[in-house]
């Protein structure tokens, strides 16, 4: 009971923070609160391990609080500016959650997230501008209508973006079946760069360096830019994030997630158990790409514009820092990491040398990576494992830095069994 | 066509340097150094500081770049390799840590030096330009090939004949074997990352003769160096040189017939095709027999 009382006090303190330090700080205070809440849940749990994909009994407490916070935010901090920040945050969250599925659950070192979302957004935006009403494209007719209705409104653009995401995901997953680890990482980093180089090239269809603008938006024109418009956007973005989380949940804690984690830990074991590893990886890639595509479509339907800087390496790095700081293997970690970095990014947006903010984010990512094996969220598990290594853990988890783990970590790629 | 060949030889030298740096780190220590780009820019700034403050003599400036690169390599060893060595989740964590450091480094350069381009004075002005057929061979290209040759010879001699070099070679062949004969991984790691850094530093100064130096100038050479290293088969030095030639040739052809904006696109198509056909690169067969 004392435990819950302590958490309640913490929550009240976190709620009071924005009244003292300004609306933006609610993002930071809630991130810290959720982190502490998750720590307390993990710490009190008997046995089990977030890393192994075991579901927490008290997970409902965490997600319940997250939902409460999501409802409280527009009430406490309902300015247009803050809601705009929140919409961006929720879009990032839905991308990061899907990235977590690929990078964490499946253990595929993919950096293609930004490419899939961006390409989908670009194609949806292009079609919306070309076939829809408005646009900045030089060589496009525009304004085609069927029976007097503009044919490419946002509600067509988003499903099309899902399909584009699926197609791009399928194309990327082909080499993923053969390439491992680092090789795949580089190929996907390259893909992002390739996408950027292409859209800069193609002035005619993708607007070149300027990008696209004037795509159809789901916010009615009459209230665009007003508080009501941002409130609609907030609710829609929250829906998107919840959808992404539900899909994450279904995959990660379902059969597919179990297969993928087994294959991640040991491919031979998974194969001996009769898992079709290739198929499982293909599936997770397709699922996450479809959602990423949809979220990309949401992006263009919210902003109405996109520029090649979307594909900048710094975007990839920023999102990567979010999930790595929070913890790649848990949806709670991804949520907390995304919140925390979003806050840092916005809070220090006008700090004097603007580079200082990035230096800080980089150092934060560096320190967390060195100290925590699996992000901030899994620190209780890490401590428990270390204790286990000293012989107090009944389950007898293997000690952290002994033999097998170390050896496997340093095996050159050739000495691993060749994937088919 | 002679123009393409001259460009190819010049670029081969530079890409081979970066790729050797990447490949050596991978085969010796088992991680991919994604802060290569920041090391590259750092070494270029180091050489630039030497050139403006101390002396613009060729040897001094080149040494400045090489030493700055080696020092940054040692820094990576100190901050990434030593703390993470033997820890779980090694592959992803080293990747993340080096990525984070490169982010930090790039922004520190931006902070300290600003976004303006820095330019070296021509280092190789004392070499006379000459013609092969109709193609003019600029002094910088001749100088690049000579300087690369000299550094690679020195480092090969170091790796072949010194005691630390022996340790480096043992470690690249077998981690367990090296441990059995009493080679200290942690000491050798400094040598490996220092040598990698020296290669990258030299490449930075040489390429600085053609392109300007700015905080992000390391990104493109890093991507190309990684492409070359992967194409050659990570860990294979011979494969890296062959792949450097292939990539340089593809780039020279693209520059000549399609234009500069297409270079990265051609390179990625090349790497995608090669990796899909041979997932372990050109020297993949060598890798396979090592297990």
């Amino acid at each position: 009971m004392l435990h819950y009382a302590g958490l309640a006090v913490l929550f009240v303190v976190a709620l009071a923070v924005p009244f003292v330090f300004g609306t933006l700080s609610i993002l930071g205070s809630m991130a810290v609160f959720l982190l502490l809440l998750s720590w307390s849940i993990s710490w009190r749990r008997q046995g089990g391990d977030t890393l192994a994909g075991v579901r927490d009994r008290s997970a409902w407490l965490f997600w319940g609080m997250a939902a409460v916070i999501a409802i409280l935010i527009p009430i406490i901090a309902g300015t247009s500016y803050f809601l705009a920040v929140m919409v961006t945050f929720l879009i990032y969250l839905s991308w990061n959650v899907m990235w977590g599925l690929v990078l964490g659950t499946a253990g595929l070192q993919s950096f293609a997230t930004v490419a899939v979302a961006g390409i989908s957004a670009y194609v949806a935006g292009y079609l919306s501008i070309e076939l829809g009403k408005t646009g900045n494209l030089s060589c496009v007719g525009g304004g085609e209508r069927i029976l007097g209705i503009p044919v490419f409104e946002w509600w067509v653009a988003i499903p099309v973006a899902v399909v584009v995401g699926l197609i791009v995901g399928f194309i990327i997953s082909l080499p993923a079946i053969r390439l491992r680890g680092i090789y795949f990482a580089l190929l996907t980093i390259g893909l992002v760069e390739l996408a950027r180089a292409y859209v800069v090239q193609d002035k005619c269809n993708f607007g070149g360096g300027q990008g696209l603008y004037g795509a159809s938006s789901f916010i009615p024109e009459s209230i665009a830019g007003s508080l009501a418009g941002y409130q609609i956007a907030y609710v829609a973005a929250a829906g998107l994030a919840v959808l992404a989380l539900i899909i994450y949940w279904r995959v990660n804690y379902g059969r597919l997630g179990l297969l993928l984690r087994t294959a991640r830990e040991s491919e031979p074991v998974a194969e001996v158990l009769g898992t079709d590893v290739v198929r499982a990886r293909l599936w997770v890639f397709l699922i996450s790409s479809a959602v990423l595509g949809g979220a990309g479509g949401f992006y263009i339907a919210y902003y109405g514009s996109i520029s090649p800087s979307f594909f900048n390496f710094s975007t990839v790095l920023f999102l990567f820092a979010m999930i790595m700081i929070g913890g790649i293997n848990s949806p709670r970690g991804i949520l907390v990491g995304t919140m925390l970095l979003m806050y840092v990014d916005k809070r220090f947006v006008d700090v004097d040398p603007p580079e200082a903010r990035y230096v800080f984010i980089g150092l934060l990512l560096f320190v967390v990576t060195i100290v925590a094996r699996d992000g901030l969220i899994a620190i209780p598990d890490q401590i428990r494992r270390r204790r286990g290594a000293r012989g107090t853990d009944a389950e007898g988890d293997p000690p952290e830095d002994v033999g097998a783990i170390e050896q496997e970590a340093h095996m050159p790629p050739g000495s691993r069994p060749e994937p088919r | 066509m002679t123009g393409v060949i001259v460009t190819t030889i010049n670029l081969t030298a530079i890409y081979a340097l970066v790729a050797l740096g990447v490949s050596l780190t991978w085969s010796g220590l088992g991680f991919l150094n994604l802060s290569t780009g920041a090391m590259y820019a750092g070494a270029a700034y180091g050489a630039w500081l030497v050139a403006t403050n101390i002396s613009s003599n060729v040897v001094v400036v080149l040494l400045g770049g090489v030493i700055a690169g080696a020092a940054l390599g040692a820094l990576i060893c100190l901050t990434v390799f030593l703390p993470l060595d033997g820890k779980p989740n090694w592959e992803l964590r080293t990747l993340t840590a080096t990525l984070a450091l490169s982010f930090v480094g790039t922004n520190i350069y931006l902070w300290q030096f600003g976004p303006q381009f820095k330019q070296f004075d021509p280092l190789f002005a004392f070499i006379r330009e000459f013609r092969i057929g109709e193609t003019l061979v600029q002094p910088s290209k001749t100088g690049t090939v000579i300087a690369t040759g000299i550094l690679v010879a020195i480092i090969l001699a170091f790796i072949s004949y010194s005691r630390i070099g022996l340790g480096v070679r043992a470690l690249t062949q077998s981690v367990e074997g090296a441990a059995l004969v009493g080679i200290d991984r942690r000491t050798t790691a400094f040598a490996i990352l220092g040598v990698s850094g020296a290669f990258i530093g030299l490449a930075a100064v040489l390429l600085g003769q053609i392109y300007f130096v700015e905080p992000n100038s390391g990104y493109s050479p890093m991507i190309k160096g990684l492409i070359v290293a992967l194409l050659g088969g990570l860990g294979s030095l011979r494969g890296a040189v062959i792949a450097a030639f292939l990539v340089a040739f593809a780039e020279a052809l693209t520059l000549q017939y399609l234009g500069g904006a297409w270079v990265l696109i051609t390179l990625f198509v090349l790497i995608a095709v090669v990796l899909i056909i041979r997932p372990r690169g050109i020297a993949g067969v060598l890798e396979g027999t090592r297990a």
Side-chain angles (χ1 to χ4, degrees):
Chain A
M1 224 49 235
L2 196 65
H3 170 236
Y4 291 109
L7 285 175
V9 170
L10 266 179
F11 185 61
V12 171
V13 171
L15 273 183
V17 166
F19 294 103
V20 184
F21 298 99
T23 47
L24 193 62
S25 61
I26 194 171
L27 208 54
S29 71
M30 286 306 164
V32 173
F33 169 73
L34 285 176
L35 181 64
L36 293 174
L37 175 63
S38 175
W39 277 354
S40 81
I41 291 172
S42 309
W43 192 247
R44 286 158 56 89
R45 178 186 48 215
Q46 305 293 314
D49 197 329
T50 345
L51 307 184
V54 173
R55 226 188 302 195
D56 276 320
R57 288 258 175 73
S58 348
W60 62 267
L61 185 61
F62 181 90
W63 293 108
M65 284 316 293
V68 168
I69 292 167
I71 293 166
L72 280 178
I73 273 179
I75 299 170
I76 295 180
T79 62
S80 295
Y81 166 73
F82 188 71
L83 286 180
V85 170
M86 283 307 292
V87 172
T88 314
F89 159 74
L90 289 166
I91 295 177
Y92 283 172
L93 178 64
S94 47
W95 288 338
N96 287 344
V97 162
M98 286 302 120
W99 198 357
L101 214 49
V102 174
L103 194 61
T105 310
L108 294 172
Q109 292 179 12
S110 164
F111 284 83
T113 310
V114 172
V116 177
I119 292 171
S120 309
Y122 252 103
V123 173
Y126 160 74
L127 290 174
S128 173
I129 291 167
E130 159 131 20
L131 302 175
K133 304 167 290 186
T134 50
N136 67 321
L137 297 179
S138 52
C139 56
V140 160
E144 265 130 83
R145 283 156 191 263
I146 296 172
L147 301 175
I149 304 163
V151 284
F152 216 82
E153 287 288 350
W154 62 269
W155 40 266
V156 188
I158 292 180
V160 166
V162 172
V163 175
V164 174
L166 260 179
I167 296 170
V168 177
F170 180 71
I171 294 171
I172 301 170
S173 65
L174 289 179
I177 293 164
R178 292 188 56 127
L179 297 179
R180 277 193 61 96
I182 302 294
Y183 289 82
F184 192 52
L186 186 84
L187 200 65
T188 47
I189 290 178
L191 189 82
V192 181
E193 183 61 29
L194 194 61
R196 197 185 65 83
Y198 183 78
V199 295
V200 170
Q201 279 289 308
D202 195 344
K203 281 202 182 61
C204 174
N205 292 317
F206 294 122
Q210 218 176 17
L212 299 175
Y213 51 85
S216 152
S217 169
F218 61 79
I219 303 171
E221 256 171 60
S222 54
I223 55 165
S226 71
L227 186 60
Y230 285 112
Q231 281 166 342
I232 292 178
Y234 177 75
V235 173
L240 175 75
V242 168
L243 182 73
L245 278 166
I246 290 173
I247 292 174
Y248 180 97
W249 214 265
R250 297 284 301 166
V251 173
N252 189 48
Y253 298 108
R255 194 178 142 74
L256 187 57
L258 192 64
L259 295 181
L260 287 168
R261 268 192 302 277
T262 316
R264 181 189 69 191
E265 295 307 322
S266 165
E267 210 163 304
V269 168
E271 277 175 5
V272 166
L273 291 172
T275 310
D276 191 343
V277 177
V278 170
R279 224 175 102 116
R281 287 190 179 145
L282 192 66
W283 264 114
V284 75
F285 228 99
L286 288 181
I287 293 170
S288 76
S289 299
V291 179
L292 281 173
F298 187 91
Y299 179 96
I300 193 90
Y302 168 63
Y303 287 105
S305 64
I306 186 167
S307 81
S309 62
F310 185 90
F311 294 112
N312 277 358
F313 194 56
S314 57
T315 316
V316 180
L317 256 176
F318 187 51
L319 295 180
F320 188 64
M322 287 174 167
I323 55 176
M324 293 310 288
I325 286 178
I328 186 73
N329 278 312
S330 122
R332 303 200 303 227
I334 295 170
L335 173 67
V336 168
T338 309
M339 266 176 116
L340 211 55
L341 273 205
M342 196 71 203
Y343 169 68
V344 169
D345 188 54
K346 293 294 173 196
R347 168 68 182 76
F348 298 108
V349 79
D350 49 3
V351 76
D352 180 27
E355 294 81 26
R357 173 170 53 129
Y358 298 120
V359 172
F360 178 69
I361 291 176
L363 283 177
L364 194 66
L365 176 61
F366 176 74
V367 171
V368 170
T369 310
I370 296 293
V371 174
R373 53 178 286 192
D374 221 0
L376 288 177
I377 212 83
I379 282 180
D381 298 288
Q382 193 176 350
I383 295 173
R384 184 177 306 154
R385 283 204 171 203
R386 180 152 294 178
R387 280 191 178 175
R390 296 209 196 99
T392 50
D393 193 325
E395 281 178 292
D397 276 342
E400 207 181 79
D401 36 16
V402 170
I405 298 170
E406 185 177 16
Q407 294 230 330
E408 205 200 339
H410 294 308
M411 266 202 263
S415 59
R416 295 206 177 144
E418 183 85 38
R420 272 177 300 142
Chain B
M1 200 58 203
T2 36
V4 172
I5 293 171
V6 170
T7 312
T8 303
I9 293 174
N10 182 40
L11 291 177
T12 303
I14 294 170
Y15 292 162
L17 283 174
V18 181
L20 282 176
V22 171
S23 214
L24 201 62
T25 311
W26 172 263
S27 58
L29 303 175
F31 75 95
L32 199 64
N33 184 1
L34 286 187
S35 53
T36 301
M39 283 165 70
Y40 176 100
Y45 277 118
W48 179 78
L49 285 178
V50 168
T52 43
N53 295 329
I54 301 174
S55 153
S56 55
N57 180 291
V58 197
V59 180
V60 178
V61 175
L62 286 180
L63 264 183
V66 168
I67 291 172
L72 287 171
L75 187 70
I76 298 289
C77 184
L78 212 61
T79 51
V80 176
F81 179 75
L82 292 187
L84 286 180
D85 187 26
K87 295 284 164 59
N89 220 348
W90 156 265
E91 210 170 83
L92 194 57
R93 276 166 89 184
T94 46
L95 192 101
T96 313
T98 52
L99 213 52
L101 282 185
S102 93
F103 195 50
V104 172
T106 310
N107 281 294
I108 289 179
Y109 305 146
L110 203 58
W111 191 346
Q112 288 302 315
F113 300 103
Q116 304 90 344
F117 292 146
K118 307 275 187 240
Q119 196 182 4
F120 287 103
D121 293 330
L123 285 177
F124 301 107
F126 61 92
I127 300 175
R128 240 187 295 153
E129 57 184 29
F130 61 95
R131 282 173 186 280
I132 303 175
E134 285 168 20
T135 314
L136 191 69
V137 181
Q138 289 97 339
S140 68
K141 293 186 175 167
T142 324
T144 296
V145 173
I146 295 173
T148 308
I150 293 174
L151 183 83
V152 169
I154 292 174
I155 288 188
L156 274 185
F158 167 72
I159 289 183
S160 306
Y161 300 112
S162 75
R163 195 159 178 81
I164 300 175
L166 191 67
V168 172
R169 275 185 296 147
L171 210 54
T172 56
Q173 282 172 12
S174 162
V175 178
E176 291 84 359
L180 279 175
V181 294
I183 287 165
D184 183 10
R185 245 171 94 76
R186 297 186 177 206
T187 326
T188 318
F190 276 103
I192 290 177
L193 279 162
V195 168
S196 298
F199 279 135
I200 293 162
L202 183 67
V205 184
L206 294 177
L207 214 55
Q209 295 291 304
I210 309 173
Y211 301 109
F212 300 108
V213 179
E214 47 106 11
N216 281 307
S217 59
Y219 182 63
S220 170
M222 173 176 83
I223 291 289
K224 286 175 188 164
L226 286 172
I227 290 178
V228 170
L230 289 177
L231 208 57
L234 271 173
S236 163
L237 302 189
R238 211 184 327 160
V241 176
I242 298 172
F245 179 79
L246 265 183
V247 167
F249 188 57
E251 179 167 343
L253 275 182
T254 315
L255 278 174
Q256 182 82 25
Y257 297 110
L258 289 174
W262 288 89
V263 168
L264 271 179
I265 300 183
T266 334
L267 292 189
F268 278 114
V269 172
L270 180 73
I271 188 182
V273 169
V274 172
L275 285 186
I276 288 170
I277 300 169
R278 304 195 63 159
R280 298 239 182 276
I282 292 168
V285 178
L286 297 175
E287 283 265 313
T289 53
R290 226 174 60 187

